[in-house]
Amino acid sequence: MTPCEKIIEAAVREKADVIGLSGLITPSLDEMIHVAKELQRAGMNTPLLIGGATTSKTHTAVKIAPRYEAPVMHVLDASRTVVVVSNLLDKDLRDDFIAELKEEYEEVREDHYDSLKDRRYLSLQESRDKGLQIDWTLAENLPPKPNMVGHKVYEDYDLNQVLPYIDWNPFFHVWQLRGKYPNRGYPKLFNDATVGEEARRVFDEAQAMLKDLLVNRRIRASAIVSILPANARGDDIVVYTDESRTEEAGVYYGLRQQAEKDKESSDAYMCLSDFIAPAKSGVPDYIGSIAASAGFGVDELAARYEAENDDYSAIMVKALADRLAEALTEKLHQDMRRELWGFAPNESLETQDLLSIKYQGIRPAPGYPSQPDHAEKTTMWRLGNIAESTKIELTDSLMMHPGASVCALVFAHPKSSYFAVGKITKEQVEDYAARKRTSVDAVETWLRPILSYDI
């Protein structure tokens, strides 16, 4: 993350009209609050725009805006920045725009605090009692024994193999090209009356660059797949050093849903450990993981394009690398199901079926809804020796480098499914911190977006 002092120095030096902060990972949220406080302390009045994957209008209104007297606004995506900045800089529109913004954010704050009062949560024990119940004595629930136990490293993976697995829809989102029903997604997007022609042009140019990247080997890919002995212990997943299951290699810590569901609902209060056989059952189980990158060489290419003032190509190469990394992960996951783990040897799904998750099992990523704690990546990296074996590294803020990288845990059980942990109580935070042998403050830093209380 860019230090706050550098942001303020640059804003003053360049006489910036606006300051933009982008947050891609949870700790960025705290840093944004800090920057707002420091801008206020420095006596600045430059409007502050907030954006990025981890941000929201609610967080901006509740946590950031009150710390800075100048206008603070959440911008959903880059395409809307032009309109926002135009309103902020237009002398005829500025005052009314800011007044409306402050009024809107005050309503957001009121709604937020009202929702906290109304929402109900089960105790942690109640949630655990209502977790997913699997009868591990039934043959249909017995975990499949993998064909491979251990790690498989892929060096300089042939990216031509992953081309059929590319999901192009997120690529068009990068360029803010969104069609309207019935031409919303790729490839129907090309038929859209408004953006279809532009989408086709960008796509064709992407194909030309993609061919050049692969033919001339301008970017490289590497990956690792792991399948390791494991069993559940409460809300956590214990990973063993070998099949004897006598020595722990590490623990993946889990978070459980607590927000009360509808009275009529019989849905379980889920935790990822529910999908792994408990150690006390005596049933041997396994957990998989994938770390994959198609980003080696991308930063250098993008820097070259930027030096030539070709921002379009710089964005394009990063967007394509992201698609290739996701496609590589999709391909490796399929290889796990068919061969390495082998619990679905006859699986034959079209690309759209894969993207629609019509296969058995799931691959949730640490830092995402089923396990919102990015810090769990460190366990994955240690167990697989990922940085050394693949050169995919974790930064201090637990982002992956190169940027076009993906990681995920892999669950094989047919009853495993994606879910969002949602908001959790202080009770679970304290329990989670005790299990991880870390401080409550450290846990709250990483889990701030899902806390049901203010800190």
Side-chain angles (χ1 to χ4, degrees):
M1 288 184 283
T2 304
C4 176
E5 298 77 19
K6 285 191 175 182
I7 294 172
I8 295 176
E9 288 172 6
V12 172
R13 182 178 65 251
E14 302 296 333
K15 299 179 181 178
D17 293 312
V18 296
I19 298 171
L21 302 178
S22 178
L24 300 177
I25 201 164
T26 310
S28 303
L29 300 177
D30 282 341
E31 185 65 17
M32 289 176 173
I33 296 171
H34 173 63
V35 172
K37 288 179 179 178
E38 291 303 301
L39 289 172
Q40 181 66 28
R41 194 164 71 88
M44 299 186 67
N45 60 5
T46 308
L48 181 62
L49 304 186
I50 303 295
T54 62
T55 63
S56 68
K57 180 188 286 187
T58 298
H59 182 268
T60 303
V62 174
K63 296 294 186 180
I64 303 176
R67 271 74 177 182
Y68 186 40
E69 292 180 3
V72 179
M73 183 174 185
H74 180 254
V75 184
L76 189 61
D77 57 51
S79 67
R80 304 188 185 186
T81 304
V82 175
V83 175
V84 172
V85 172
S86 297
N87 286 329
L88 288 171
L89 301 185
D90 189 315
K91 294 180 180 179
D92 295 329
L93 300 175
R94 176 185 170 91
D95 290 345
D96 287 343
F97 180 74
I98 293 173
E100 185 177 336
L101 175 66
K102 288 185 175 180
E103 183 178 329
E104 178 187 359
Y105 277 25
E106 183 59 36
E107 291 177 358
V108 171
R109 282 189 287 272
E110 290 176 2
D111 290 344
H112 169 72
Y113 289 117
D114 286 343
S115 70
L116 293 182
K117 296 174 187 174
D118 297 338
R119 191 169 294 167
R120 293 171 54 85
Y121 297 88
L122 273 62
S123 71
L124 184 53
Q125 188 56 53
E126 288 176 313
S127 293
R128 286 169 172 165
D129 291 342
K130 294 185 177 183
L132 180 67
Q133 303 299 316
I134 295 177
D135 185 348
W136 296 98
T137 65
L138 297 179
E140 64 199 56
N141 288 328
L142 291 178
K145 183 175 175 59
N147 295 326
M148 179 202 85
V149 175
H151 312 281
K152 182 172 183 178
V153 176
Y154 301 82
E155 297 180 2
D156 201 12
Y157 194 98
D158 181 6
L159 287 171
N160 287 286
Q161 294 185 39
V162 311
L163 296 181
Y165 297 82
I166 292 180
D167 179 5
W168 285 104
N169 283 305
F171 170 81
F172 292 106
H173 296 168
V174 171
W175 305 103
Q176 306 301 321
L177 294 170
R178 294 182 172 90
K180 295 181 180 179
Y181 181 84
N183 300 314
R184 192 168 293 155
Y186 169 84
K188 293 181 179 179
L189 177 65
F190 299 142
N191 299 322
D192 186 81
T194 304
V195 302
E197 185 175 342
E198 178 69 5
R200 170 58 75 180
R201 181 186 68 79
V202 172
F203 182 74
D204 288 344
E205 291 173 353
Q207 300 310 300
M209 178 178 280
L210 183 58
K211 181 178 180 180
D212 174 67
L213 292 175
L214 300 188
V215 169
N216 295 300
R217 299 175 60 80
R218 301 191 191 280
I219 62 175
R220 293 175 294 102
S222 70
I224 182 172
V225 166
S226 302
I227 305 174
L228 302 174
N231 282 109
R233 181 173 62 203
D235 290 346
D236 305 326
I237 300 168
V238 178
V239 182
Y240 302 103
T241 56
D242 55 42
E243 292 275 29
S244 70
R245 300 173 189 263
T246 56
E247 183 180 347
E248 294 183 10
V251 178
Y252 287 115
Y253 295 94
L255 293 162
R256 187 172 293 279
Q257 294 175 320
Q258 278 189 283
E260 187 176 54
K261 303 177 189 287
D262 293 337
K263 297 292 184 183
E264 298 78 15
S265 173
S266 59
D267 291 346
Y269 287 73
M270 309 283 270
C271 177
L272 287 176
S273 63
D274 291 345
F275 308 137
I276 300 289
K280 63 184 179 182
S281 71
V283 175
D285 208 340
Y286 304 84
I287 189 166
S289 65
I290 301 172
S293 178
F296 295 97
V298 171
D299 288 346
E300 293 80 1
L301 270 177
R304 192 188 79 192
Y305 287 129
E306 288 166 356
E308 297 169 353
N309 295 316
D310 187 358
D311 290 343
Y312 175 77
S313 293
I315 295 171
M316 178 70 81
V317 71
K318 291 178 181 179
L320 288 174
D322 285 343
R323 292 300 87 223
L324 289 168
E326 293 284 356
L328 173 55
T329 306
E330 194 73 70
K331 173 70 165 64
L332 294 175
H333 190 193
Q334 185 182 67
D335 290 347
M336 291 178 77
R337 297 190 302 272
R338 285 177 170 177
E339 302 163 15
L340 302 179
W341 208 322
F343 57 82
N346 299 317
E347 178 189 293
S348 179
L349 297 174
E350 299 294 331
T351 299
Q352 191 53 50
D353 291 330
L354 294 174
L355 300 179
S356 300
I357 317 174
K358 293 186 178 180
Y359 48 75
Q360 179 178 320
I362 57 173
R363 59 166 194 272
Y368 287 82
S370 297
Q371 172 37 293
D373 188 358
H374 282 278
E376 288 300 288
K377 292 175 188 171
T378 59
T379 300
M380 187 186 301
W381 254 248
R382 182 174 56 80
L383 290 174
N385 196 22
I386 292 174
E388 183 174 332
S389 61
T390 67
K391 308 306 179 188
I392 306 170
E393 299 177 337
L394 293 178
T395 68
D396 291 342
S397 56
L398 298 186
M399 295 179 68
M400 289 174 282
H401 184 269
S405 301
V406 178
C407 70
L409 293 174
V410 178
F411 294 79
H413 200 279
K415 290 186 179 178
S416 60
S417 62
Y418 291 102
F419 63 91
V421 169
K423 301 287 185 180
I424 60 174
T425 66
K426 182 90 170 187
E427 178 195 16
Q428 181 162 192
V429 169
E430 292 173 342
D431 184 88
Y432 186 71
R435 289 173 5 235
K436 294 191 74 169
R437 296 179 182 149
T438 189
S439 69
V440 170
D441 287 346
V443 169
E444 287 176 335
T445 296
W446 287 105
L447 299 183
R448 182 182 289 271
I450 68 163
L451 302 179
S452 66
Y453 56 94
D454 284 324
I455 56 174

